Amino acid sequence: MSEQRTRPTTNVDDPILRAENLRKRFGGIVAVDGASFEVERGSITGLIGPNGAGKSTTFNLITGVYRPDGGSVVFDGGDVTGHSPERIANQGLVRTFQIARELPEMTVLENMMLGPQNQLGESIWRSVTPVVRNEVIQEEKQLRERAWETLELFEIDHLAEEYASSLSGGQRKLLELARALLTDPDMLLLDEPMAGVNPSLEKKLLERIHDLQDEGYSFLLVEHDMDVIMNHCERVIVMHQGELLAEGLPAEIQGDEAVIEAYLGGDV
C-alpha cells in the first residue's frame, strides 16, 4: 500500500488547466460527453473511472492527439483547443503514455536527448554552416549535461549507456518521466505511471513526482491503483461513460455512493 503523505495546500483560484464541455464521438460511440473540470496549479490531481469511461480520450483531447467535436481546453490562460501535440508540448503541457514509448534500439542517454524540441542541430543547414556550428556543439553539450543531471535525479544514470530495450517496465516509466521533464514542462499528464512497476520503483517514482510538485510542477494522472490516487492526490476527478461523475477530495470520493457503485465497488 502506498505511504500516506501530507498534502500541500493548492490555490483553488488558480487553475493551470481547464477543460470545458469536451465532446468526442467516434462514429456512433460517444467517448466523451460534455466533460468539464479544472486542475489547480501545483497540484497532483487524479483522473479515475472504469474501463471505457473516456479517460484516455480526454487525455488525447487535452494534448492534441484528437481534435474535440465540441468544448475547449485552456492551459495556463491560453486556449489550446485543437492545437497539434508538438505545439501544446512546446507551450509546457507534456504527457507520458501507459506503454512507455522509448526507442529500444537507442541508449537511455540517446533517448533522453531526443526529448527537447527545436534543437539547433535538427536543422541540417544550421549543423553544417560554420557560423552556427559552434552554437550547435555548445547546445548539444548543455543538453547532454542536463540529460545526465536528470538521469541522476531519477537514479537511473547508471543505465545511461544501456539500450532502452534492456530496461525493466519500471525503469522505462522512470525514463519516460525523466525524458518528459527534459522538455521543461509546466504540467505533466501521466497515463497509468504505476502500471507494471514493482513496489520499490513505484516508491521511487512517487517520490520523484512529489519532489517535482514541490518545485512547482502540476500533474494530472490516470491511475487504476486506488492507494496511489487516495494517498497522493489532492483532488480526484471521476469519469463514467464519458461524463464527469464526481470530483473532490479523496475522502469525499471514497464516500460518494455513485462512485462506489460505478467504479470502486466498495473496495476502497
Side-chain angles (χ1 to χ4, degrees), residues 90-109:
N90 283 335
Q91 290 175 266
L93 180 58
V94 176
R95 71 169 295 177
T96 66
F97 293 85
Q98 178 181 354
I99 300 175
R101 297 190 174 187
E102 78 286 342
L103 296 177
E105 72 280 4
M106 301 181 72
T107 68
V108 167
L109 183 60

Side-chain angles (χ1 to χ4, degrees), residues 14 16 25 43 45 105 109 125 132 136 140 147 172 181 260:
D14 185 23
I16 189 170
R25 178 187 293 272
S43 73
T45 299
E105 72 280 4
L109 183 60
W125 74 267
V132 183
V136 174
E140 183 175 347
R172 291 178 183 181
L181 186 62
I260 294 172

Side-chain angles (χ1 to χ4, degrees), residues 155-244:
E155 299 181 17
I156 54 174
D157 51 303
H158 62 289
L159 300 171
E161 303 301 337
E162 300 290 333
Y163 286 106
S165 58
S166 70
L167 302 184
S168 69
Q171 290 168 339
R172 291 178 183 181
K173 291 294 180 71
L174 288 170
L175 171 58
E176 180 146 336
L177 184 54
R179 187 170 58 179
L181 186 62
L182 206 59
T183 64
D184 288 329
D186 295 306
M187 181 174 181
L188 287 156
L189 275 62
L190 309 182
D191 192 353
E192 296 197 35
M194 307 305 159
V197 178
N198 67 47
S200 176
L201 285 179
E202 177 180 301
K203 181 179 179 181
K204 182 181 296 185
L205 189 54
L206 285 167
E207 287 174 350
R208 295 296 168 263
I209 290 172
H210 282 289
D211 288 343
L212 294 171
Q213 181 192 21
D214 291 341
E215 295 177 18
Y217 292 85
S218 306
F219 292 88
L220 176 63
L221 60 94
V222 168
E223 181 58 55
H224 285 294
D225 187 329
M226 289 298 104
D227 285 338
V228 171
I229 291 293
M230 297 303 167
N231 294 332
H232 295 272
C233 295
E234 285 85 66
R235 294 188 66 79
V236 182
I237 299 163
V238 187
M239 293 188 68
H240 183 55
Q241 296 181 348
E243 300 179 347
L244 192 72

Side-chain angles (χ1 to χ4, degrees), residues 7-10 12 40 44-46 48 229-231 233-238 246-256 259 264:
R7 297 185 179 89
T9 301
T10 56
V12 296
E40 306 307 332
I44 300 175
T45 299
I48 67 172
I229 291 293
M230 297 303 167
N231 294 332
C233 295
E234 285 85 66
R235 294 188 66 79
V236 182
I237 299 163
V238 187
E247 62 178 318
L249 301 175
E252 296 170 340
I253 296 301
Q254 282 181 301
D256 189 302
V259 175
L264 300 180

Side-chain angles (χ1 to χ4, degrees), residues 22-33 52-62 64-70 95 239 241-242:
L22 282 180
R23 299 179 182 277
K24 185 64 180 179
R25 178 187 293 272
F26 298 99
I29 299 175
V30 179
V32 178
D33 190 10
K55 305 182 300 297
S56 294
T57 301
T58 298
F59 258 34
N60 288 331
L61 294 173
I62 291 171
V65 176
Y66 298 149
R67 180 180 292 274
D69 296 326
R95 71 169 295 177
M239 293 188 68
Q241 296 181 348

Side-chain angles (χ1 to χ4, degrees), residues 30-134:
V30 179
V32 178
D33 190 10
S36 298
F37 57 86
E38 296 180 348
V39 176
E40 306 307 332
R41 191 179 304 274
S43 73
I44 300 175
T45 299
L47 177 61
I48 67 172
N51 291 333
K55 305 182 300 297
S56 294
T57 301
T58 298
F59 258 34
N60 288 331
L61 294 173
I62 291 171
T63 56
V65 176
Y66 298 149
R67 180 180 292 274
D69 296 326
S72 63
V73 179
V74 176
F75 173 67
D76 202 18
D79 191 334
V80 298
T81 311
H83 290 185
S84 70
E86 294 79 11
R87 184 176 175 185
I88 291 174
N90 283 335
Q91 290 175 266
L93 180 58
V94 176
R95 71 169 295 177
T96 66
F97 293 85
Q98 178 181 354
I99 300 175
R101 297 190 174 187
E102 78 286 342
L103 296 177
E105 72 280 4
M106 301 181 72
T107 68
V108 167
L109 183 60
E110 289 169 340
N111 269 271
M112 288 289 291
M113 295 183 68
L114 286 176
Q117 304 289 321
N118 301 321
Q119 299 178 47
L120 289 174
E122 292 175 349
S123 174
I124 295 177
W125 74 267
R126 285 178 173 174
S127 65
V128 299
T129 303
V131 176
V132 183
R133 188 178 301 140
N134 287 338

